[in-house]
Amino acid sequence: MKEATASRQEGWKDKPPPESAWRGRQGRTRKTITAEQDRAAGGREERYVRRKDGEYALGSITLKVLPSTRRIRAYLRWSEDGRSPALYVGEVEHLTRVANLEQAWKIAQVRGMVEKRPVPAGSWASSSATRSVMRGNRGRDTAPELRIRSLLHQDGLRYRISARPLPGVRRTADLVFSRARVAVFVDGCFWHGCPDHCRPARTNSDFWRTKIEGNRARDAQTDQILADAGWRAIRIWEHEDPVRAARRVAAAVRGFAVQDDHSVP
C-alpha cells in the first residue's frame, strides 16, 4: 500500500492529479451528491458536525487540488450561522474520487471532526440511524404512488391527490375519485404490516408492534367509515405491480361510471 501511494505521488510531481481523482462529474443532482457522501462516510449518521451552539449540521467533504503542490486536499464543510465553514481534513492520494472521499471521511472520523448525532430526548427511535431512515419515509409522493398516478393519468382518469374523501372526517387518501366515490390508499409494507414483507423490529420491538397494529386497526376503521358513507376503499401494497394495481383502480372507477350511465333515463 505504501509503495502504491508513493508511486502515485511520484507521478504527480510533474503534472496535476487526474480530474477523476477529485472532481465530480458534471450534471450531478443534489440527490446523487448526497448519496455519494453517504456511501463514502459509511452512512449519513456518520456525517454530522457539532456546531458552536451545540446543534448538529450535516457535513460534506470537498476535494481540491493545490497547483503549487499538486496534491489533493480534503476539506470538511457544513452550514452554520448562514456561512459554510471549511475545515482542513488532510491530503488524499488515490486515483479515484470515490476512494479519496472514503479516505477523507475516515480521517475526519478518526480525528473526531464528525460524530454520530445523538437521538433527541423522548424520541421513539432507538438510534440516530433509525430516526434518519424513518424521517426519510415519505408520507406522500412515494415511488409506487407516483407510478400508479402516472398510469391512471395516461389512461384518461383524473383524481385528487392526498385529499380527504369525506368532509369533516380526518382521513386522507392518496388518490380520490370523488364522482365514483373511490378512495385509493398506497400502503407501505413496514408501516401498515404487510404479511409478506413486514419483519419484526429487532430493537424497541414492543413499540413497533404496537405502532403497526394501531395503524392496521386505523386502516380497517377508515375502510368501514368510507363504506358506511357509500365509498369504496382500495388498498394497494407498495410491493404490488403498479400496472395491475392501476388496472384494479380503473376498473373500480369505470364500473361506477357504467352504472351511472345506465341510470340515466
Side-chain angles (χ1 to χ4, degrees):
M1 180 65 183
K2 290 183 179 179
E3 292 180 0
T5 300
S7 64
R8 295 184 194 118
Q9 293 177 348
E10 287 293 329
W12 294 349
K13 278 188 176 182
D14 301 325
K15 59 181 180 179
E19 289 194 355
S20 59
W22 60 277
R23 187 188 293 275
R25 63 178 177 80
Q26 296 295 323
R28 294 179 303 160
T29 64
R30 182 181 295 273
K31 183 177 181 179
T32 58
I33 292 172
T34 299
E36 177 187 52
Q37 294 284 340
D38 287 347
R39 286 193 299 268
R44 182 167 302 186
E45 67 274 11
E46 305 288 347
R47 292 177 50 195
Y48 284 97
V49 180
R50 177 180 274 186
R51 304 186 314 197
K52 294 178 181 179
D53 60 4
E55 296 297 324
Y56 287 81
L58 197 62
S60 295
I61 292 292
T62 300
L63 301 177
K64 294 183 178 180
V65 172
L66 273 65
S68 59
T69 62
R70 297 190 178 91
R71 293 289 186 268
I72 304 176
R73 286 192 165 193
Y75 297 86
L76 178 65
R77 303 184 71 94
W78 67 95
S79 297
E80 185 169 354
D81 297 331
R83 299 179 298 106
S84 182
L87 192 61
Y88 177 61
V89 175
E91 289 188 357
V92 291
E93 67 283 317
H94 294 282
L95 294 175
T96 66
R97 174 179 169 82
V98 171
N100 283 326
L101 285 175
E102 291 176 351
Q103 182 184 6
W105 276 113
K106 287 179 182 177
I107 295 172
Q109 291 161 3
V110 169
R111 293 181 177 177
M113 301 168 72
V114 292
E115 58 185 271
K116 291 185 179 181
R117 182 177 54 173
V119 178
S123 173
W124 41 260
S126 57
S127 68
S128 58
T130 300
R131 185 169 184 265
S132 296
V133 170
M134 294 308 173
R135 289 185 67 182
N137 284 334
R138 291 172 177 258
R140 57 173 289 181
D141 296 337
T142 62
E145 182 184 335
L146 291 173
R147 177 60 175 152
I148 292 169
R149 276 161 43 182
S150 176
L151 290 167
L152 291 171
H153 194 275
Q154 291 174 21
D155 199 20
L157 296 178
R158 300 298 180 260
Y159 41 79
R160 289 188 294 150
I161 299 171
S162 191
R164 294 177 181 176
L166 303 178
V169 179
R170 299 186 62 181
R171 301 298 167 94
T172 301
D174 295 309
L175 301 176
V176 174
F177 298 84
S178 300
R179 185 167 178 268
R181 292 194 175 188
V182 172
V184 180
F185 302 83
V186 183
D187 294 335
C189 289
F190 175 80
W191 289 105
H192 295 265
C194 169
D196 296 328
H197 300 99
C198 184
R199 298 291 179 266
R202 295 183 179 181
T203 58
N204 210 5
S205 57
D206 289 342
F207 169 85
W208 288 114
R209 182 171 56 254
T210 301
K211 176 70 174 176
I212 293 170
E213 288 175 354
N215 288 343
R216 289 178 62 84
R218 181 179 173 83
D219 291 343
Q221 185 186 50
T222 298
D223 294 351
Q224 187 60 55
I225 290 173
L226 290 171
D228 292 343
W231 282 68
R232 178 176 178 180
I234 297 179
R235 294 198 171 268
I236 301 169
W237 289 114
E238 65 174 332
H239 71 261
E240 286 189 54
D241 175 50
V243 174
R244 292 183 179 179
R247 287 175 182 168
R248 182 152 56 98
V249 174
V253 173
R254 291 200 167 106
F256 176 88
V258 170
Q259 295 174 10
D260 186 60
D261 290 341
H262 286 191
S263 65
V264 176

mmCIF file of all heavy atoms in Angstrom, residues 75-101:
data_model
loop_
_atom_site.group_PDB
_atom_site.id
_atom_site.type_symbol
_atom_site.label_atom_id
_atom_site.label_comp_id
_atom_site.label_asym_id
_atom_site.label_seq_id
_atom_site.Cartn_x
_atom_site.Cartn_y
_atom_site.Cartn_z
ATOM 1 N N TYR A 75 -11.403 18.886 2.518
ATOM 2 C CA TYR A 75 -11.944 19.833 3.489
ATOM 3 C C TYR A 75 -13.336 19.393 3.918
ATOM 4 O O TYR A 75 -14.124 18.892 3.117
ATOM 5 C CB TYR A 75 -12.024 21.240 2.886
ATOM 6 C CG TYR A 75 -10.689 21.824 2.520
ATOM 7 C CD1 TYR A 75 -10.113 21.544 1.278
ATOM 8 C CD2 TYR A 75 -9.985 22.644 3.389
ATOM 9 C CE1 TYR A 75 -8.880 22.070 0.922
ATOM 10 C CE2 TYR A 75 -8.753 23.184 3.054
ATOM 11 C CZ TYR A 75 -8.206 22.889 1.817
ATOM 12 O OH TYR A 75 -6.982 23.401 1.472
ATOM 13 N N LEU A 76 -13.636 19.600 5.184
ATOM 14 C CA LEU A 76 -14.952 19.297 5.729
ATOM 15 C C LEU A 76 -15.755 20.589 5.764
ATOM 16 O O LEU A 76 -15.304 21.593 6.332
ATOM 17 C CB LEU A 76 -14.829 18.713 7.135
ATOM 18 C CG LEU A 76 -16.135 18.383 7.865
ATOM 19 C CD1 LEU A 76 -16.876 17.258 7.151
ATOM 20 C CD2 LEU A 76 -15.854 17.995 9.322
ATOM 21 N N ARG A 77 -16.943 20.565 5.164
ATOM 22 C CA ARG A 77 -17.779 21.764 5.108
ATOM 23 C C ARG A 77 -19.154 21.464 5.704
ATOM 24 O O ARG A 77 -19.649 20.344 5.633
ATOM 25 C CB ARG A 77 -17.935 22.250 3.667
ATOM 26 C CG ARG A 77 -16.626 22.542 2.952
ATOM 27 C CD ARG A 77 -16.879 23.105 1.581
ATOM 28 N NE ARG A 77 -17.395 24.460 1.668
ATOM 29 C CZ ARG A 77 -16.641 25.557 1.615
ATOM 30 N NH1 ARG A 77 -15.326 25.448 1.460
ATOM 31 N NH2 ARG A 77 -17.174 26.755 1.701
ATOM 32 N N TRP A 78 -19.779 22.503 6.263
ATOM 33 C CA TRP A 78 -21.131 22.394 6.801
ATOM 34 C C TRP A 78 -21.726 23.792 6.887
ATOM 35 O O TRP A 78 -21.032 24.791 6.657
ATOM 36 C CB TRP A 78 -21.115 21.723 8.188
ATOM 37 C CG TRP A 78 -20.440 22.545 9.254
ATOM 38 C CD1 TRP A 78 -21.030 23.394 10.145
ATOM 39 C CD2 TRP A 78 -19.026 22.599 9.523
ATOM 40 N NE1 TRP A 78 -20.084 23.970 10.964
ATOM 41 C CE2 TRP A 78 -18.852 23.494 10.602
ATOM 42 C CE3 TRP A 78 -17.903 21.984 8.958
ATOM 43 C CZ2 TRP A 78 -17.587 23.788 11.123
ATOM 44 C CZ3 TRP A 78 -16.664 22.270 9.474
ATOM 45 C CH2 TRP A 78 -16.502 23.153 10.548
ATOM 46 N N SER A 79 -22.996 23.892 7.187
ATOM 47 C CA SER A 79 -23.675 25.187 7.294
ATOM 48 C C SER A 79 -23.792 25.604 8.750
ATOM 49 O O SER A 79 -24.184 24.803 9.605
ATOM 50 C CB SER A 79 -25.068 25.119 6.654
ATOM 51 O OG SER A 79 -24.978 24.854 5.270
ATOM 52 N N GLU A 80 -23.472 26.874 9.009
ATOM 53 C CA GLU A 80 -23.552 27.391 10.377
ATOM 54 C C GLU A 80 -23.666 28.910 10.336
ATOM 55 O O GLU A 80 -22.816 29.588 9.740
ATOM 56 C CB GLU A 80 -22.319 26.982 11.186
ATOM 57 C CG GLU A 80 -22.394 27.374 12.645
ATOM 58 C CD GLU A 80 -21.287 26.735 13.478
ATOM 59 O OE1 GLU A 80 -20.522 25.902 12.939
ATOM 60 O OE2 GLU A 80 -21.188 27.055 14.683
ATOM 61 N N ASP A 81 -24.736 29.422 10.941
ATOM 62 C CA ASP A 81 -24.962 30.873 11.017
ATOM 63 C C ASP A 81 -24.938 31.530 9.640
ATOM 64 O O ASP A 81 -24.378 32.618 9.450
ATOM 65 C CB ASP A 81 -23.907 31.532 11.921
ATOM 66 C CG ASP A 81 -23.980 31.050 13.361
ATOM 67 O OD1 ASP A 81 -25.085 30.677 13.789
ATOM 68 O OD2 ASP A 81 -22.937 31.029 14.040
ATOM 69 N N GLY A 82 -25.519 30.853 8.655
ATOM 70 C CA GLY A 82 -25.575 31.431 7.326
ATOM 71 C C GLY A 82 -24.278 31.356 6.555
ATOM 72 O O GLY A 82 -24.178 31.894 5.451
ATOM 73 N N ARG A 83 -23.276 30.722 7.117
ATOM 74 C CA ARG A 83 -21.984 30.580 6.449
ATOM 75 C C ARG A 83 -21.716 29.102 6.173
ATOM 76 O O ARG A 83 -22.446 28.234 6.625
ATOM 77 C CB ARG A 83 -20.859 31.151 7.318
ATOM 78 C CG ARG A 83 -21.003 32.642 7.622
ATOM 79 C CD ARG A 83 -19.885 33.144 8.512
ATOM 80 N NE ARG A 83 -19.890 32.485 9.819
ATOM 81 C CZ ARG A 83 -19.015 31.558 10.193
ATOM 82 N NH1 ARG A 83 -18.066 31.164 9.365
ATOM 83 N NH2 ARG A 83 -19.097 31.018 11.389
ATOM 84 N N SER A 84 -20.642 28.855 5.432
ATOM 85 C CA SER A 84 -20.242 27.483 5.132
ATOM 86 C C SER A 84 -18.764 27.313 5.490
ATOM 87 O O SER A 84 -17.879 27.447 4.624
ATOM 88 C CB SER A 84 -20.473 27.176 3.648
ATOM 89 O OG SER A 84 -20.131 25.833 3.364
ATOM 90 N N PRO A 85 -18.477 27.051 6.767
ATOM 91 C CA PRO A 85 -17.072 26.903 7.184
ATOM 92 C C PRO A 85 -16.399 25.729 6.474
ATOM 93 O O PRO A 85 -17.055 24.764 6.069
ATOM 94 C CB PRO A 85 -17.186 26.622 8.697
ATOM 95 C CG PRO A 85 -18.555 27.083 9.073
ATOM 96 C CD PRO A 85 -19.412 26.862 7.874
ATOM 97 N N ALA A 86 -15.093 25.829 6.324
ATOM 98 C CA ALA A 86 -14.311 24.744 5.717
ATOM 99 C C ALA A 86 -13.149 24.412 6.652
ATOM 100 O O ALA A 86 -12.357 25.280 6.999
ATOM 101 C CB ALA A 86 -13.791 25.154 4.348
ATOM 102 N N LEU A 87 -13.085 23.158 7.067
ATOM 103 C CA LEU A 87 -12.043 22.711 7.982
ATOM 104 C C LEU A 87 -11.141 21.713 7.259
ATOM 105 O O LEU A 87 -11.620 20.745 6.672
ATOM 106 C CB LEU A 87 -12.694 22.054 9.200
ATOM 107 C CG LEU A 87 -11.812 21.767 10.419
ATOM 108 C CD1 LEU A 87 -11.220 23.061 10.972
ATOM 109 C CD2 LEU A 87 -12.617 21.068 11.503
ATOM 110 N N TYR A 88 -9.846 21.976 7.287
ATOM 111 C CA TYR A 88 -8.906 21.110 6.576
ATOM 112 C C TYR A 88 -8.855 19.727 7.235
ATOM 113 O O TYR A 88 -8.701 19.599 8.444
ATOM 114 C CB TYR A 88 -7.514 21.737 6.594
ATOM 115 C CG TYR A 88 -6.439 20.885 5.955
ATOM 116 C CD1 TYR A 88 -6.508 20.532 4.612
ATOM 117 C CD2 TYR A 88 -5.365 20.422 6.720
ATOM 118 C CE1 TYR A 88 -5.520 19.751 4.035
ATOM 119 C CE2 TYR A 88 -4.368 19.641 6.146
ATOM 120 C CZ TYR A 88 -4.458 19.311 4.798
ATOM 121 O OH TYR A 88 -3.476 18.529 4.220
ATOM 122 N N VAL A 89 -9.011 18.698 6.410
ATOM 123 C CA VAL A 89 -9.007 17.325 6.900
ATOM 124 C C VAL A 89 -7.638 16.687 6.702
ATOM 125 O O VAL A 89 -7.057 16.109 7.620
ATOM 126 C CB VAL A 89 -10.089 16.483 6.177
ATOM 127 C CG1 VAL A 89 -10.002 15.016 6.602
ATOM 128 C CG2 VAL A 89 -11.475 17.035 6.477
ATOM 129 N N GLY A 90 -7.103 16.793 5.501
ATOM 130 C CA GLY A 90 -5.803 16.197 5.213
ATOM 131 C C GLY A 90 -5.646 15.938 3.723
ATOM 132 O O GLY A 90 -6.542 16.220 2.927
ATOM 133 N N GLU A 91 -4.486 15.383 3.343
ATOM 134 C CA GLU A 91 -4.242 15.046 1.949
ATOM 135 C C GLU A 91 -4.691 13.616 1.656
ATOM 136 O O GLU A 91 -4.598 12.740 2.514
ATOM 137 C CB GLU A 91 -2.751 15.178 1.621
ATOM 138 C CG GLU A 91 -2.258 16.607 1.568
ATOM 139 C CD GLU A 91 -0.829 16.698 1.058
ATOM 140 O OE1 GLU A 91 -0.210 15.638 0.806
ATOM 141 O OE2 GLU A 91 -0.327 17.828 0.914
ATOM 142 N N VAL A 92 -5.195 13.412 0.435
ATOM 143 C CA VAL A 92 -5.581 12.076 -0.020
ATOM 144 C C VAL A 92 -4.839 11.792 -1.316
ATOM 145 O O VAL A 92 -4.445 12.721 -2.026
ATOM 146 C CB VAL A 92 -7.108 11.972 -0.224
ATOM 147 C CG1 VAL A 92 -7.841 12.043 1.106
ATOM 148 C CG2 VAL A 92 -7.610 13.088 -1.146
ATOM 149 N N GLU A 93 -4.632 10.494 -1.633
ATOM 150 C CA GLU A 93 -3.709 10.215 -2.728
ATOM 151 C C GLU A 93 -4.160 9.104 -3.661
ATOM 152 O O GLU A 93 -3.351 8.505 -4.363
ATOM 153 C CB GLU A 93 -2.330 9.855 -2.154
ATOM 154 C CG GLU A 93 -2.259 8.540 -1.378
ATOM 155 C CD GLU A 93 -2.829 8.642 0.021
ATOM 156 O OE1 GLU A 93 -2.549 9.643 0.691
ATOM 157 O OE2 GLU A 93 -3.568 7.732 0.427
ATOM 158 N N HIS A 94 -5.473 8.802 -3.686
ATOM 159 C CA HIS A 94 -5.942 7.724 -4.557
ATOM 160 C C HIS A 94 -6.249 8.238 -5.965
ATOM 161 O O HIS A 94 -6.349 9.450 -6.203
ATOM 162 C CB HIS A 94 -7.174 7.064 -3.948
ATOM 163 C CG HIS A 94 -6.877 6.356 -2.658
ATOM 164 N ND1 HIS A 94 -6.273 5.129 -2.617
ATOM 165 C CD2 HIS A 94 -7.090 6.727 -1.375
ATOM 166 C CE1 HIS A 94 -6.129 4.746 -1.345
ATOM 167 N NE2 HIS A 94 -6.621 5.708 -0.575
ATOM 168 N N LEU A 95 -6.428 7.316 -6.896
ATOM 169 C CA LEU A 95 -6.643 7.671 -8.292
ATOM 170 C C LEU A 95 -8.103 7.919 -8.635
ATOM 171 O O LEU A 95 -8.412 8.369 -9.733
ATOM 172 C CB LEU A 95 -6.102 6.557 -9.202
ATOM 173 C CG LEU A 95 -4.582 6.365 -9.168
ATOM 174 C CD1 LEU A 95 -4.182 5.164 -10.001
ATOM 175 C CD2 LEU A 95 -3.882 7.624 -9.687
ATOM 176 N N THR A 96 -9.024 7.597 -7.719
ATOM 177 C CA THR A 96 -10.450 7.819 -7.981
ATOM 178 C C THR A 96 -11.051 8.720 -6.908
ATOM 179 O O THR A 96 -10.606 8.723 -5.753
ATOM 180 C CB THR A 96 -11.229 6.501 -8.007
ATOM 181 O OG1 THR A 96 -11.224 5.914 -6.696
ATOM 182 C CG2 THR A 96 -10.624 5.524 -9.004
ATOM 183 N N ARG A 97 -12.066 9.469 -7.297
ATOM 184 C CA ARG A 97 -12.755 10.355 -6.359
ATOM 185 C C ARG A 97 -13.411 9.562 -5.240
ATOM 186 O O ARG A 97 -13.371 9.962 -4.071
ATOM 187 C CB ARG A 97 -13.797 11.174 -7.122
ATOM 188 C CG ARG A 97 -14.691 12.027 -6.241
ATOM 189 C CD ARG A 97 -15.679 12.830 -7.079
ATOM 190 N NE ARG A 97 -16.704 13.437 -6.243
ATOM 191 C CZ ARG A 97 -16.573 14.572 -5.572
ATOM 192 N NH1 ARG A 97 -15.426 15.236 -5.631
ATOM 193 N NH2 ARG A 97 -17.559 15.054 -4.844
ATOM 194 N N VAL A 98 -14.007 8.426 -5.583
ATOM 195 C CA VAL A 98 -14.684 7.601 -4.577
ATOM 196 C C VAL A 98 -13.719 7.194 -3.465
ATOM 197 O O VAL A 98 -14.010 7.337 -2.274
ATOM 198 C CB VAL A 98 -15.311 6.349 -5.224
ATOM 199 C CG1 VAL A 98 -15.811 5.382 -4.153
ATOM 200 C CG2 VAL A 98 -16.449 6.739 -6.149
ATOM 201 N N ALA A 99 -12.549 6.697 -3.859
ATOM 202 C CA ALA A 99 -11.561 6.254 -2.872
ATOM 203 C C ALA A 99 -11.056 7.422 -2.039
ATOM 204 O O ALA A 99 -10.830 7.283 -0.828
ATOM 205 C CB ALA A 99 -10.403 5.556 -3.570
ATOM 206 N N ASN A 100 -10.894 8.580 -2.656
ATOM 207 C CA ASN A 100 -10.400 9.745 -1.909
ATOM 208 C C ASN A 100 -11.438 10.278 -0.934
ATOM 209 O O ASN A 100 -11.099 10.719 0.163
ATOM 210 C CB ASN A 100 -9.971 10.839 -2.884
ATOM 211 C CG ASN A 100 -8.625 10.529 -3.524
ATOM 212 O OD1 ASN A 100 -7.757 9.941 -2.885
ATOM 213 N ND2 ASN A 100 -8.450 10.928 -4.775
ATOM 214 N N LEU A 101 -12.706 10.235 -1.317
ATOM 215 C CA LEU A 101 -13.754 10.642 -0.377
ATOM 216 C C LEU A 101 -13.802 9.696 0.821
ATOM 217 O O LEU A 101 -13.930 10.133 1.971
ATOM 218 C CB LEU A 101 -15.112 10.654 -1.085
ATOM 219 C CG LEU A 101 -15.390 11.812 -2.043
ATOM 220 C CD1 LEU A 101 -16.728 11.606 -2.740
ATOM 221 C CD2 LEU A 101 -15.375 13.147 -1.310
#
